[in-house]
Amino acid sequence: MIAIKNYISGGLVEPKTQNYLEVINPATGEVIARAPDSGPEDAAAAVKSAQDAFEAWAKTPTEARAKILHNIANLIDLHREELAKLEALDSGKPYSLAYEKEIPRAAQNFRYFASAISTGQSECFPMGEQGFNYVLRPALGPVVCISPWNLPLYLFSWKIAPALAAGCTVIGKPSELTPLTAFKLSEICKEAGLPPGVLNIVHGYGAKIGEALTRNPAIKAISFTGGTETGKKIMGGLRNTFLPVSLELGGKNPALVFKDCDLELTVNELIRASFTNSGQICLCASRLYIEEPIYEAFKSLFLTKTKMLSVGDPFHTETSLGPLISKEHRLKVKGFVDRAEQNQCSLLLDGRSTMSAMQDGFYFGPTIIEGAALEDPINQQEIFGPVVTLASFKDFNEAMSLANGTPYGLSATVWTKDLSTAHRAAHQLDAGIVWINSWMVRDLRTPFGGMKASGLGREGGNEALKFFTETKNIFATF
Ligand code: TXE
């Protein structure tokens, strides 16, 4: 049984509450670890530790900060296998996905921002004889980084790395469902030479310590990734503050498949986009709109290839889909499919069938639904599971009104060989990220985030560094 502790002031400490929560392996339903069920006092201690460490860290030369972040990245690479195993153990994701994609990306997050501050340019605006302006970007102070369970280390590091690079000190709050790699990161940061208090990690229920973290007056910014409802709760508590908040929330991402697309490539990529991590990625495609002339051909090929996916043990190399994160989440996903069936939608593929076959794990197979109206909850709400709806469209305008017809605006994909169609669609889609004939191709320099109910602000590249800093323009005469 792994005994997880909080990481505060450079040490691993028990929660002041002396309470613990159980960490479950979603593939077996067994308890594999216990983590602190921290309370407001633990949160306050972490904030105080970050506050005490801030001045020295903000004054640390960028080269020295960058060197420590590179050390962290190198240690993540060194512990890649162990981290991938831990990630698969408490999230249920296929080990191969963690080992090949997510853990290397966590290292890249630290490496990217270490390089960004080493090569970053400052701005100067000379005004001839009058004098000159220059811009400073000082670190904000202690910040809170709250991350979800779907891509644990990937998203935790995606927030922490730019915050540390910018010179902020951090209180990290990973999801209570997937604390294992965050715990290992504590050890890695200590070994990498990160000074005590620069990074603090508090484990526990967000509902219990979230407010103690986000409403602490010493906190200078909040970076959150998670559900839209939680994002609303966090914003609600900040009504009378001017605190910078970054919210990366849910999505209901459409795919627009035009009749001139490369059908085989499109089907293969949309299977990846729909079912990677069992659909538990905010960027996953969940509404597939196909131009009428190729609807039947697309449906048949998509169905045939989806049936070839294997649902099973995250540690088996042939596994495409592991279990969902929890029993409760699987019930939520099942509820959407049950209601779609009651609404006379047709279930071309029914993932509920795997539930009985592997009763100990929270398994749920790929599910393809046809005949759901745009206003049906299954097309309006984020399911966050391996469930997609198929529908056809007659022309470009109908495609756009279907795609933009939900409260979300995170990502979208467009599949066509026609340049004009591709760019007209990309420009008109309500989405912060649009991929043309591709999915999940990521460049860390680009702005990342959504519009409408999908969030507030952007992460990645200079957007992330600017979020964690103030901007000061100074003018001086000669
Ligand atoms: O998110 P939560 P969960 C969506 C997806 C999923 C739903 C819930 O639809 O089904 O969100 O997932 C902490 N103050 N996405 O349960 O509850 C919590 O402890 C402060 C999309 O993971 O929002 C955890 O660390 N913090 C998303 C983090 O917030 C609070 C990825 C996320 O928890 C809090 C994940 C509070 N009041 C889920 N309540 C994406 N965009 O990728 C909870 N937390």
Side-chain angles (χ1 to χ4, degrees):
M1 167 85 81
I2 303 170
I4 293 170
K5 295 182 179 178
N6 287 333
Y7 177 56
I8 297 177
S9 301
L12 294 174
V13 296
E14 302 295 349
K16 293 177 191 295
T17 58
Q18 296 297 318
N19 293 336
Y20 295 87
L21 56 89
E22 293 182 334
V23 182
I24 306 290
N25 175 353
T28 62
E30 288 163 352
V31 177
I32 50 173
R34 72 168 206 180
D37 174 5
S38 301
E41 280 180 67
D42 299 296
V47 172
K48 172 89 175 54
S49 162
Q51 217 176 349
D52 294 348
F54 171 64
E55 196 176 334
W57 181 246
K59 285 181 181 162
T60 305
T62 42
E63 265 324 298
R65 290 210 298 269
K67 185 173 181 314
I68 294 171
L69 294 187
H70 278 300
N71 291 349
I72 295 172
N74 296 337
L75 286 166
I76 289 174
D77 284 343
L78 189 68
H79 296 284
R80 178 178 178 182
E81 201 172 312
E82 181 191 358
L83 285 163
K85 186 173 170 229
L86 293 173
E87 205 74 303
L89 263 180
D90 64 5
S91 75
K93 71 176 69 252
Y95 170 82
S96 56
L97 178 64
Y99 183 82
E100 283 150 26
K101 301 281 183 193
E102 294 186 25
I103 302 306
R105 171 61 195 273
Q108 189 190 0
N109 288 342
F110 280 99
R111 210 159 268 138
Y112 172 82
F113 287 105
S115 310
I117 58 171
S118 306
T119 57
Q121 316 286 322
S122 297
E123 300 108 302
C124 178
F125 303 87
M127 292 176 70
E129 286 304 308
Q130 283 178 286
F132 62 98
N133 297 275
Y134 61 98
V135 176
L136 290 182
R137 296 192 187 280
L140 287 177
V143 299
V144 168
C145 294
I146 301 172
S147 60
W149 48 257
N150 61 322
L151 308 172
L153 192 61
Y154 178 132
L155 291 177
F156 198 44
S157 57
W158 184 229
K159 294 174 185 302
I160 288 172
L164 296 177
C168 291
T169 49
V170 175
I171 304 97
K173 212 304 282 174
S175 172
E176 55 277 21
L177 297 172
T178 52
L180 291 180
T181 45
F183 181 49
K184 182 66 189 173
L185 183 68
S186 320
E187 294 168 14
I188 284 174
C189 288
K190 202 171 167 69
E191 190 182 339
L194 197 66
V198 172
L199 170 66
N200 305 274
I201 299 177
V202 188
H203 296 276
Y205 296 107
K208 188 183 281 188
I209 54 174
E211 285 184 14
L213 289 172
T214 55
R215 297 190 195 178
N216 186 310
I219 293 304
K220 301 301 179 197
I222 298 166
S223 175
F224 170 79
T225 295
T228 296
E229 288 316 304
T230 310
K232 286 178 187 169
K233 279 185 210 151
I234 292 172
M235 283 304 277
L238 303 171
R239 259 188 306 280
N240 303 322
T241 73
F242 298 100
L243 212 59
V245 182
S246 159
L247 300 174
E248 203 278 296
L249 307 175
K252 196 63 192 178
N253 309 309
L256 297 184
V257 181
F258 289 91
K259 61 178 183 289
D260 69 327
C261 74
D262 174 331
L263 189 63
E264 180 96 24
L265 169 120
T266 303
V267 167
N268 290 337
E269 281 299 279
L270 280 179
I271 284 175
R272 200 167 68 83
S274 303
F275 303 116
T276 297
N277 205 39
S278 293
Q280 298 171 125
I281 300 175
C282 57
L283 298 167
C284 276
S286 55
R287 295 182 293 139
L288 311 185
Y289 296 115
I290 296 91
E291 196 163 11
E292 239 162 39
I294 61 161
Y295 181 77
E296 290 303 329
F298 177 94
K299 178 171 95 173
S300 154
L301 192 57
F302 188 78
L303 205 53
T304 305
K305 289 189 173 238
T306 302
K307 284 175 180 170
M308 293 157 70
L309 296 175
S310 63
V311 179
D313 185 313
F315 289 92
H316 291 175
T317 45
E318 71 282 359
T319 292
S320 325
L321 285 78
L324 300 189
I325 185 69
S326 68
K327 200 178 290 179
E328 297 72 20
H329 186 55
R330 181 170 69 168
L331 275 178
K332 172 184 161 189
V333 172
K334 178 180 178 296
F336 277 101
V337 181
D338 293 346
R339 284 189 297 279
E341 188 176 48
Q342 288 148 20
N343 293 346
Q344 270 71 52
C345 297
S346 63
L347 272 58
L348 304 176
L349 198 57
D350 185 350
R352 294 175 299 181
S353 56
T354 52
M355 289 176 72
S356 51
M358 309 146 100
Q359 67 280 8
D360 293 343
F362 313 134
Y363 291 94
F364 197 90
T367 302
I368 303 171
I369 294 172
E370 185 181 50
L374 175 62
E375 54 281 354
D376 187 308
I378 202 153
N379 275 328
Q380 291 296 314
Q381 294 169 29
E382 183 180 52
I383 301 170
F384 223 58
V387 181
V388 296
T389 57
L390 291 191
S392 64
F393 63 85
K394 292 185 186 57
D395 56 30
F396 182 89
N397 290 337
E398 186 185 14
M400 296 316 296
S401 60
L402 287 168
N404 290 339
T406 76
Y408 293 98
L410 185 54
S411 75
T413 55
V414 180
W415 308 84
T416 175
K417 291 178 186 148
D418 181 292
L419 265 182
S420 162
T421 304
H423 291 288
R424 273 194 307 129
H427 290 212
Q428 291 183 35
L429 281 162
D430 292 348
I433 306 147
V434 179
W435 282 288
I436 297 172
N437 296 326
S438 54
W439 177 71
M440 199 71 160
V441 177
R442 291 280 300 119
D443 179 329
L444 274 60
R445 294 168 297 179
T446 55
F448 180 90
M451 55 180 80
K452 297 171 32 179
S454 290
L456 197 61
R458 292 297 184 270
E459 296 183 296
N462 288 332
E463 302 274 343
L465 291 172
K466 279 184 183 171
F467 175 73
F468 289 113
T469 52
E470 266 307 347
T471 303
K472 182 181 282 197
N473 177 38
I474 299 166
F475 172 77
T477 58
F478 289 109

